[in-house]
Amino acid sequence: MRLTWIAVRRDRTTISHSTTITYDELLQTELGYDALRRFAQRIVAVGADPADYVYLPVHPWQWEHKTSITFAADIAQRHIIQLGSSDDEYQPQQSIRTFFNRSEPSRHYVKTALSVLNMGFMRGLSPTYMAATPAINDWVYRLVENDLVLKRYGFSVLREIAAAGYHNRYYESATEKTSPYRKMLSALWRESPVPALEPGERLATMASLLHVDRHGASLAAALIRASGLAPADWFRAYIDVYLIPLLHSFYAYELVFMPHGENLILVLRNSVPTRVIMKDIAEEIAVLSPATPLPPDAERVRAEVPDDEKLLSIFTDVFDCIFRFLSPLLDREGLLAPAEFWSVVASAVRDYQAATPELASAFAKYDIFAPSFALSCLNRLQLKNNQQMVDLTDVAGSLQFVGTLDNPLVTEAAG
């Protein structure tokens, strides 16, 4: 498909970008001279000055069903001018509203506002919220690139390097700050992983590891068999590049990501995960320590979370939400029994801790080998409010806990 492009009044638009690029430079790279000239001619044709406008990509469905109707007054006043489609063809990714450029894969991902209810949220993008997005990404990128442990494991992030969002003054004067009406017309640009690929490397969403085909066979098992490695060796390679960087980010900085399958890109060589790339940075990270220094523009990612809930970023998000489903798939296909699965995880964690003695006090304070952890009931959040699972200004306060789960690093690995 092709994206719809519009021109929006510069004085009604929030633009933000990384320190490494300007928004105009980005558009020149992404659109090219011919498209930019065509868009400018369209603005002149309706009697307006291109210098007064900013170009913004829109999901075609959003334009047809939402923007052209809900923003009709702004369109009539030429605060918004439809420009047509760009030349490149895009493919929606698993997250529906983030697009991969099929014509020029090295160009950036484009993420657009989409006013549909999906997984507990209306999938809009707030212009106000995104104003700090590039600054947050720049900070995370610098931290990751300068950390020797993370570099050793090949961990990297895809930066969201620019964002733009239109402010509809009618809705902003009539609604609360969190209203979906304020999040209907924005977009951001995220780096593509393709330029960083080495010869022989290929990409896969980590969510695909849990895919099971109509014959009951999992992709994870297929990759293990194709690699020629012993199952435990393949799984250890995966744990080293996925879990260990998450642990180090937590123990070294109390920086936590949202490490679900759709947010992780696996880099495979000969069917073996050799490194991972994290995406969706600004909206889905948190810094849980008051001691970790943050630039002023990134301060909003700091969160107050009780000490006994901090490690749930691993226990819940990785053990309960990923490994709990992966382990039975490998067991069913005769590759790794649960005890061996969790023994590999435990060994990788112990090896990391032994190699990082400077963090011993953090390992003791937040014990990943604790016998149990609180059961965070994610489904209950959607049942309670399927339009907003959690309050994004107080995620920790929104969680619901019922009882505990045995820690499989203790129970399964020991068994």
Side-chain angles (χ1 to χ4, degrees):
M1 60 181 291
R2 295 187 179 186
L3 295 175
T4 297
W5 279 81
I6 61 175
V8 292
R9 283 291 299 264
R10 192 176 294 271
D11 59 1
R12 292 170 177 257
T13 305
T14 294
I15 300 172
S16 56
H17 54 83
S18 168
T19 57
T20 60
I21 197 170
T22 68
Y23 193 71
D24 287 342
E25 290 170 343
L26 174 71
L27 293 185
Q28 290 170 10
T29 302
E30 292 293 311
L31 289 170
Y33 174 77
D34 290 342
L36 289 172
R37 180 171 55 86
R38 188 170 71 245
F39 290 170
Q41 290 173 343
R42 170 63 179 160
I43 296 172
V44 172
V46 298
D49 184 350
D52 295 334
Y53 290 85
V54 175
Y55 299 152
L56 187 68
V58 184
H59 194 296
W61 184 93
Q62 185 80 350
W63 172 261
E64 181 179 352
H65 295 277
K66 296 294 181 180
T67 313
S68 61
I69 300 167
T70 312
F71 291 72
D74 294 68
I75 295 170
Q77 297 172 82
R78 292 182 184 160
H79 299 322
I80 299 173
I81 301 171
Q82 185 183 16
L83 301 174
S85 299
S86 54
D87 298 327
D88 289 351
E89 293 186 346
Y90 289 84
Q91 178 178 333
Q93 299 190 31
Q94 183 182 355
S95 58
I96 301 174
R97 60 173 175 150
T98 303
F99 295 91
F100 175 77
N101 192 318
R102 292 294 299 268
S103 301
E104 297 285 348
S106 62
R107 288 179 173 172
H108 292 74
Y109 291 174
V110 183
K111 184 175 183 178
T112 61
L114 189 60
S115 298
V116 297
L117 188 64
N118 181 43
M119 284 298 293
F121 291 101
M122 187 71 73
R123 295 296 169 172
L125 287 173
S126 165
T128 303
Y129 196 75
M130 287 194 306
T133 289
I136 294 169
N137 278 263
D138 281 351
W139 175 77
V140 174
Y141 176 81
R142 288 193 299 269
L143 182 148
V144 169
E145 288 298 302
N146 291 320
D147 186 282
L148 295 179
V149 175
L150 295 178
K151 294 299 291 182
R152 185 166 70 245
Y153 286 98
F155 184 75
S156 62
V157 299
L158 292 183
R159 288 182 300 164
E160 295 147 2
I161 64 164
Y166 180 76
H167 295 269
N168 184 302
R169 294 176 180 174
Y170 301 115
Y171 296 124
E172 291 191 355
S173 66
T175 61
E176 299 293 330
K177 287 184 178 181
T178 57
S179 169
Y181 283 94
R182 297 186 179 212
K183 306 174 184 179
M184 294 178 68
L185 198 52
S186 301
L188 66 81
W189 305 83
R190 178 183 293 143
E191 292 173 317
S192 168
V194 172
L197 283 179
E198 299 291 339
E201 293 182 333
R202 61 182 176 134
L203 304 171
T205 172
M206 196 182 79
S208 65
L209 293 184
L210 302 182
H211 174 70
V212 177
D213 68 14
R214 64 184 182 275
H215 304 297
S218 71
L219 179 67
L223 289 173
I224 291 173
R225 294 191 177 102
S227 74
L229 296 179
D233 293 338
W234 186 97
F235 186 55
R236 174 61 188 259
Y238 165 63
I239 293 299
D240 280 345
V241 298
Y242 170 52
L243 176 62
I244 302 306
L246 298 177
L247 284 179
H248 182 71
S249 297
F250 172 78
Y251 283 120
Y253 311 105
E254 293 195 20
L255 166 64
V256 299
F257 297 89
M258 182 61 73
H260 58 64
E262 193 273 325
N263 272 355
L264 264 293
I265 299 173
L266 298 177
V267 180
L268 303 172
R269 183 184 293 275
N270 298 323
S271 300
V272 180
T274 57
R275 56 189 176 93
V276 303
I277 307 169
M278 178 73 69
K279 66 183 184 71
D280 214 348
I281 302 302
E283 287 190 323
E284 298 198 336
I285 69 161
V287 174
L288 309 184
S289 169
T292 299
L294 282 169
D297 288 348
E299 189 62 37
R300 78 146 193 254
V301 302
R302 198 184 304 277
E304 292 187 16
V305 176
D307 283 351
D308 60 355
E309 295 180 14
K310 289 181 178 179
L311 203 48
L312 292 180
S313 62
I314 302 297
F315 286 143
T316 299
D317 296 350
V318 179
F319 289 8
D320 192 24
C321 293
I322 304 291
F323 292 172
R324 179 164 64 96
F325 299 97
L326 181 59
S327 177
L329 295 180
L330 302 184
D331 183 32
R332 188 173 66 199
E333 298 198 44
L335 295 174
L336 280 177
E340 189 175 10
F341 180 102
W342 288 103
S343 179
V344 170
V345 178
S347 294
V349 172
R350 290 193 179 96
D351 288 347
Y352 158 69
Q353 291 184 339
T356 323
E358 64 272 20
L359 297 177
S361 60
F363 300 150
K365 182 176 181 180
Y366 305 111
D367 184 9
I368 197 168
F369 292 99
S372 63
F373 56 88
L375 171 56
S376 179
C377 302
L378 302 183
N379 285 336
R380 294 188 182 210
L381 301 179
Q382 291 210 62
L383 293 172
K384 180 181 179 182
N385 184 352
N386 76 317
Q387 296 190 31
Q388 184 171 334
M389 284 177 61
V390 297
D391 178 357
L392 294 177
T393 63
D394 183 21
V395 175
S398 303
L399 299 179
Q400 294 194 35
F401 300 102
V402 178
T404 60
L405 292 174
D406 292 336
N407 185 351
L409 284 186
V410 177
T411 57
E412 293 287 355

